Amino acid sequence: EDQVTQSPEALRLQEGESSSLNCSYTVSGLRGLFWYRQDPGKGPEFLFTLYSAGEEKEKERLKATLTKKESFLHITAPKPEDSATYLCAVQVLTTDSWGKLQFGAGTQVVVTP
Amino acid sequence: DAGITQSPRHKVTETGTPVTLRCHQTENHRYMYWYRQDPGHGLRLIHYSYGVKDTDKGEVSDGYSVSRSKTEDFLLTLESATSSQTSVYFCATGQHQPQHFGDGTRLSIL
């Protein structure tokens, strides 16, 4: 059975204190891995797509990396505006032309001044 | 902003009544999706559409139906609402994956 697990569930950081979020997955075949950011009362906002092990993507203070079993979202020198819930999702490789996304439960990040 | 509008934003209704949620997009994206989000479960796909009148089931489709008669509109119907369908519902659009989400409809079924 395909599974996506995010850890930790919650993370409290001081402003400037770098940290990493983990997304581990067990799927029959990976087409892509996605990261989203979600603010309270809002829909998820797309951040990155990673397709193969070793790939990295960066956006401002965020950097996503991918291995064959997990992905990390590194937050470098976070600011209070980085506070949000970060979701990862995997797109499973299937015989269909379209692979459905399976989401993890998310990591809630709070950055205090 | 991908121009996704969900309506209503909040709704309270009673068990057994039909409910329809609407998603409207202005970006002409081919794919549209309906998800529900519940604590501890993450986002789960209900139904999706890959074109006008082309729809398919997701992982939690029981009790839900959808229709897409125009590119810009995707409707989700709860045929006879149950308390287990109390949730936050999100519509999304994209080319092959959900990249743009609406701000959700909070639905409470009493």
Side-chain angles (χ1 to χ4, degrees):
Chain A
E1 184 183 333
D2 299 326
Q3 278 196 323
V4 180
T5 304
Q6 290 189 247
S7 61
E9 290 184 10
L11 188 61
R12 193 172 186 90
L13 301 171
Q14 290 277 350
E15 185 172 2
E17 178 189 0
S18 300
S19 188
S20 296
L21 315 182
N22 179 264
C23 173
S24 63
Y25 59 91
T26 306
V27 295
S28 50
L30 182 71
R31 183 186 293 272
L33 187 141
F34 301 78
W35 283 99
Y36 298 83
R37 169 198 170 116
Q38 186 174 22
D39 294 308
K42 298 288 187 180
E45 174 190 343
F46 171 74
L47 293 173
F48 306 110
T49 307
L50 302 166
Y51 291 104
S52 56
E55 190 174 358
E56 299 182 351
K57 293 272 180 77
E58 283 189 70
K59 180 179 181 178
E60 296 180 355
R61 295 174 293 282
L62 301 177
K63 181 169 129 179
T65 62
L66 181 65
T67 73
K68 288 187 178 179
K69 293 184 178 181
E70 58 193 348
S71 176
F72 292 93
L73 184 66
H74 308 279
I75 311 178
T76 302
K79 298 182 178 181
E81 52 261 43
D82 295 321
S83 297
T85 296
Y86 292 86
L87 306 174
C88 84
V90 297
Q91 187 177 28
V92 180
L93 193 64
T94 67
T95 54
D96 299 337
S97 61
W98 187 91
K100 300 177 179 68
L101 290 192
Q102 181 153 349
F103 282 82
T107 294
Q108 184 178 26
V109 175
V110 174
V111 183
T112 57
Chain B
D1 184 1
I4 299 173
T5 304
Q6 291 187 234
S7 59
R9 293 295 315 280
H10 303 271
K11 186 171 181 68
V12 180
T13 191
E14 294 184 347
T15 300
T17 60
V19 177
T20 295
L21 308 184
R22 181 178 182 247
C23 178
H24 178 79
Q25 62 145 333
T26 59
E27 298 296 313
N28 205 38
H29 287 141
R30 179 184 173 194
Y31 282 82
M32 297 185 76
Y33 313 82
W34 277 109
Y35 285 89
R36 61 178 289 175
Q37 187 173 40
D38 304 289
H41 284 277
L43 283 157
R44 291 180 291 174
L45 181 65
I46 305 171
H47 282 281
Y48 69 98
S49 169
Y50 46 96
V52 174
K53 297 186 180 178
D54 292 323
T55 65
D56 205 350
K57 296 179 180 180
E59 63 182 302
V60 290
S61 60
D62 287 347
Y64 302 95
S65 62
V66 290
S67 66
R68 192 169 178 199
S69 58
K70 297 185 289 185
T71 299
E72 57 266 35
D73 290 326
F74 193 32
L75 303 180
L76 176 71
T77 297
L78 288 65
E79 293 137 11
S80 177
T82 68
S83 58
S84 64
Q85 293 176 312
T86 291
S87 187
V88 180
Y89 291 85
F90 288 99
C91 172
T93 68
Q95 291 307 314
H96 293 289
Q97 306 92 18
Q99 288 195 294
H100 311 284
F101 283 78
D103 284 337
T105 294
R106 185 171 295 274
L107 179 63
S108 297
I109 300 164
L110 307 178

